[in-house]
Amino acid sequence: MGTRSTPLPGVGTQYDFTTEAGQHISVVVHHDGRRFLGFYRADDPDTCQASVPLTPEEATSLAHLIDPMPLEAIRTDGLDLVTEHIPVSSHSPYTGRLLGDTRARTRTGASIVAVLRRTSAHPSPGPDFRLAAGDTLVAVGTREGVDALAEIIAGG
């Protein structure tokens, strides 16, 4: 059992994984954030039985389902803090607007500590950072604060 990565020039990277049962699974990560899951025959590792294309958002959702130990809460000095990934959809009222327009910390007490964008991460974004559809906000705060922030970003 192990993972092998192979650079695909002009495309991205292919990650191959073989389960203990001998099933060969491949994930191709394109430079633009798209992913493809491939399932291969055990007796012929070059024959793809099925391929499933995933958007970055779908890949994130699938990863959260598979991860057996998600980071749900961090305990600091007796305070319960949570870290959440909040997607910015094309329907969000903040798509195309500045992060400062959300007034996230003032309204919820939660902090946006990073913005993940397709193939790059933007740690500690300032109020002049412009949000885009497909971004994922990394927020830290109380459960109530982070949930309130998710509602705001979704337009609720």
Side-chain angles (χ1 to χ4, degrees), residues 20-41:
E20 287 181 16
Q23 179 67 51
H24 176 188
I25 301 169
S26 178
V27 178
V28 176
V29 179
H30 288 252
H31 292 303
D32 66 4
R34 291 176 300 138
R35 271 109 168 117
F36 286 83
L37 282 177
F39 301 92
Y40 294 83
R41 292 180 43 177

Side-chain angles (χ1 to χ4, degrees), residues 88-139:
V88 179
S89 75
S90 59
H91 303 294
S92 171
Y94 295 99
T95 296
R97 293 179 56 191
L98 299 177
L99 181 60
D101 292 345
T102 66
R103 297 181 43 241
R105 196 170 323 149
T106 302
R107 294 169 70 184
T108 68
S111 295
I112 298 169
V113 298
V115 176
L116 308 177
R117 181 172 285 163
R118 294 193 187 248
T119 60
S120 61
H122 302 273
S124 303
D128 58 340
F129 185 90
R130 191 165 301 278
L131 298 174
D135 284 353
T136 299
L137 308 181
V138 180

Side-chain angles (χ1 to χ4, degrees), residues 52-95:
V52 179
L54 299 170
T55 66
E57 295 80 16
E58 292 166 339
T60 299
S61 294
L62 180 60
H64 285 292
L65 292 173
I66 293 172
D67 187 356
M69 296 182 54
L71 177 61
E72 291 181 6
I74 302 169
R75 197 151 172 93
T76 308
D77 298 328
L79 300 175
D80 286 319
L81 297 177
V82 296
T83 302
E84 290 281 336
H85 287 195
I86 301 171
V88 179
S89 75
S90 59
H91 303 294
S92 171
Y94 295 99
T95 296

